[in-house]
Amino acid sequence: MTSPQGRLRPEHPHSRRVADLADAFALVTAGGAGVPDDLETTGVTVASGDVLPGDVFVAVPGARTHGAAHTAQAVASGAVAVVTDAAGAAVVAGIPEAAHLPVLLVEDPRGVAGHLAAWLHDHPGRRVTTVGVTGTNGKTTTTYFVEAALRRAHEKTVVMGTVELRIGDEAIESPRTTVEAPVVQSILAAGLERGATAAVMEVSSHALALGRMNGLEVGVAGFTNLQRDHLDFHGDMEGYFQAKAQLFRAGHAQRAVVVVDDAWGRRLAEEAEVPVDTVATHVGAPEAATADWAVTEADIGLDGVGSSFVLRGPDGTEHRAASPLPGLVNVSNAALAVVLAHRAGVPLADAIDAVATAHEIPGRMERVIERRPAPDERPLCLVDYAHTPDALVLALEAVRPITPGRLVIVFGSDGDRDQGKRPIMGAIAARLADVLVVTDENPRSEDPASIRAAILSGVREERPDLADVHEATSRTQAIHDALDLATETDTIIITGKGHEPTQEIAGVFHRYNDRDVLRAADADRTARAHEQQGQHA
């Protein structure tokens, strides 16, 4: 079955000769066999499951097996040629179903895949306004803020990120923060075909390290911050920084907007190979005096809906602005988004107004249940994606001012990821929240109990007696427990998964969403309350 991503391909793709593709990229055929003159291609993919008839299948080496091992599946779906390295060609040679296919050799098939797709689709990224956002935290929120602003100047836009892949109003779930390079190109081409004139996308460090941005030079690149995350992949913070920094080199972006609140941002602004606008969002911080743009005032609203701030521009003019989401972190996201959109061509006043009135963002400080007094008595319940130590601090600090009672947190930590952050997350929650319900996020291949134990070791650093600390062996049960523990003056924040539509346990993806489970748990609680009232009547 073809991947859902196929829905966002061009309906009328370019048809190019495979021989021309080989000539354009100096690809030679394995074994010396030529490419038939009449053989044409209409697509490029690195995933055998995404192949459509007429595609070139780019077989890349993987962590466990070579992608060339899946060539038979690609052939069955209509692949007309294979691009791979020497090791992949040797694998293809042993697949009878591929005996008739031209096999084109390249040293780095993953690195060339995006360039092949850009060439095939006639470089769609050059014909739309493009914005790419990277950083540890805030990419999704900033991307949605930017898109809201772009819509003031563009009737139809493209969004690619953690939550969804969308052209106009047509969307599918996104498989990852940044899709593979050929998918980026095909979505941009489909967007052009359907009338889109601007695109904004999240750019992950994995994507940059794995060449998923190859073939695309964004008009404006944005940087939010760099905080501890993905060290299992990058090794250390320096490796993580170097991956992010690739987006700010010539050929990947034309210009940049960099938040300089942390040392990594300041370093990036100095080392970037493209023109940079710097943005300082911490009021009174030393960097605010020298940044091109700076937040000079910030009023964090106590209603939990949003915050207002003053943004000083390069010419010294101060502009009243706002974030529709609570917390200082979203002042930073909003300020960055305003400048990104402005540098992408949106009039500054329009960008400011659009960001201030942007719609709710899935799983980002999302208010799922509003606070209600008796007899309906409900705590305020929010879902937020915070899954790094710094993001957790910011989320809890944002919610505390709008909590008259206790702050209740439901949280965990991912399996098969940076193990060192688990006790750190536990200590942060113990310090900044009142009631803790420790549970699972995506255990993946790890034992869920061992992950929770690591979190609880950090909790004990702050609370040796584990007062008001609960452990739940299922995330659904954790949410039910939190609702049972909370009163109308309390606030429940469920962190770590945000918008995610699945939970990965022992290698199996189960349909699961915090918002849906929270609403169902609330309905169950209401039903039980009505039942008890009936018994007492």
Side-chain angles (χ1 to χ4, degrees):
M1 177 178 287
T2 301
S3 161
Q5 294 171 33
R7 287 170 41 198
L8 299 185
R9 284 209 192 186
E11 294 181 18
H12 306 287
H14 290 281
S15 180
R16 308 287 289 268
R17 293 195 321 141
V18 176
D20 291 338
L21 179 145
D23 289 342
F25 292 91
L27 307 179
V28 297
T29 54
V35 178
D37 286 342
D38 60 349
L39 185 64
E40 295 191 341
T41 178
T42 53
V44 175
T45 180
V46 299
S48 58
D50 288 350
V51 170
L52 293 180
D55 278 359
V56 168
F57 173 48
V58 182
V60 304
R64 297 181 179 86
T65 60
H66 201 292
H70 303 286
T71 300
Q73 180 187 12
V75 173
S77 297
V80 298
V82 178
V83 173
T84 191
D85 55 15
V91 174
V92 175
I95 299 175
E97 296 91 337
H100 65 289
L101 252 62
V103 179
L104 304 171
L105 293 176
V106 65
E107 185 174 336
D108 181 11
R110 180 178 287 281
V112 80
H115 297 288
L116 296 178
W119 175 87
L120 176 67
H121 294 296
D122 195 20
H123 299 280
R126 297 175 183 173
R127 293 177 283 146
V128 296
T129 297
T130 51
V131 177
V133 182
T134 196
T136 304
N137 296 314
K139 293 188 298 296
T140 301
T141 299
T142 303
T143 294
Y144 276 89
F145 286 169
V146 169
E147 196 233 355
L150 289 173
R151 280 180 174 257
R152 295 296 179 93
H154 302 269
E155 186 173 342
K156 183 175 286 189
T157 57
V158 172
V159 176
M160 291 181 271
T162 304
V163 176
E164 63 184 349
L165 304 173
R166 174 160 51 85
I167 299 173
D169 296 325
E170 183 182 0
I172 61 172
E173 290 177 3
S174 179
R176 57 178 60 88
T177 299
T178 310
V179 290
E180 295 287 357
V183 180
V184 170
Q185 296 296 331
S186 65
I187 291 176
L188 290 173
L192 266 173
E193 185 182 72
R194 299 173 201 183
T197 53
V200 59
M201 63 185 295
E202 296 180 53
V203 183
S204 70
S205 57
H206 288 73
L208 290 160
L210 296 172
R212 293 181 194 152
M213 291 299 290
N214 290 3
L216 175 64
E217 181 182 63
V218 298
V220 191
F223 176 83
T224 59
N225 50 66
L226 197 73
Q227 300 161 1
R228 179 173 181 148
D229 203 12
H230 306 306
L231 299 192
D232 54 300
F233 182 82
H234 297 291
D236 54 25
M237 290 298 292
E238 178 64 23
Y240 189 22
F241 172 79
Q242 291 298 338
K244 293 286 190 188
Q246 289 184 47
L247 186 60
F248 302 86
R249 293 176 185 156
H252 281 291
Q254 295 172 7
R255 66 180 305 157
V257 181
V258 175
V259 174
V260 291
D261 294 336
D262 62 32
W264 298 106
R266 294 189 287 275
R267 176 180 167 188
L268 180 62
E270 292 177 357
E271 296 181 5
E273 297 178 1
V274 297
V276 174
D277 277 73
T278 54
V279 183
T281 70
H282 292 170
V283 177
E287 53 271 14
T290 56
D292 299 311
W293 303 77
V295 173
T296 58
E297 299 176 28
D299 180 15
I300 310 304
L302 298 184
D303 60 358
V305 175
S307 305
S308 61
F309 61 97
V310 173
L311 181 64
R312 190 205 69 230
D315 63 356
T317 303
E318 293 191 331
H319 307 271
R320 290 280 170 183
S323 162
L325 296 180
L328 280 169
V329 64
N330 287 308
V331 169
S332 177
N333 293 334
L336 173 59
V338 166
V339 181
L340 280 170
H342 182 49
R343 290 307 183 210
V346 179
L348 185 57
D350 289 346
I352 289 171
D353 183 63
V355 169
T357 55
H359 295 301
E360 192 170 68
I361 300 164
R364 272 64 182 174
M365 282 295 170
E366 184 175 357
R367 300 165 75 103
V368 180
I369 298 173
E370 294 291 344
R371 194 184 312 283
R372 298 199 295 273
D376 292 329
E377 189 176 317
R378 290 289 184 280
L380 172 64
C381 299
L382 304 102
V383 169
D384 191 71
Y385 190 51
H387 63 286
T388 68
D390 294 274
L392 190 61
V393 169
L394 292 168
L396 293 174
E397 288 180 346
V399 173
R400 175 62 73 182
I402 61 173
T403 304
R406 300 172 303 166
L407 181 49
V408 182
I409 181 172
V410 176
F411 75 114
S413 192
D414 276 340
D416 297 340
R417 297 295 185 267
D418 181 5
Q419 297 184 9
K421 74 178 183 181
R422 296 169 187 173
I424 299 172
M425 302 281 280
I428 290 168
R431 186 171 68 253
L432 298 180
D434 301 304
V435 180
L436 280 60
V437 184
V438 178
T439 188
D440 305 329
E441 283 186 16
N442 296 297
R444 297 189 173 92
S445 70
E446 287 194 63
D447 172 31
S450 67
I451 300 173
R452 296 194 301 271
I455 296 169
L456 288 167
S457 71
V459 173
R460 287 189 181 90
E461 294 176 10
E462 297 287 333
R463 296 189 199 178
D465 59 355
L466 296 182
D468 289 317
V469 177
H470 309 264
E471 184 177 2
T473 57
S474 91
R475 198 167 177 92
T476 296
Q477 185 59 52
I479 290 173
H480 279 268
D481 291 349
L483 280 171
D484 288 340
L485 289 164
T487 69
E488 66 178 87
T489 62
D490 298 336
T491 296
I492 297 173
I493 182 167
I494 304 167
T495 66
K497 288 184 64 62
H499 68 285
E500 290 183 349
T502 61
Q503 184 179 28
E504 185 181 355
I505 304 172
V508 178
F509 288 87
H510 304 268
R511 295 299 296 184
Y512 173 91
N513 178 265
D514 279 341
R515 294 166 296 178
D516 295 342
V517 171
L518 179 54
R519 291 185 183 113
D522 180 57
D524 178 68
R525 187 187 188 198
T526 300
R528 283 188 283 122
H530 288 166
E531 182 179 346
Q532 291 172 357
Q533 290 172 2
Q535 291 173 350
H536 291 131

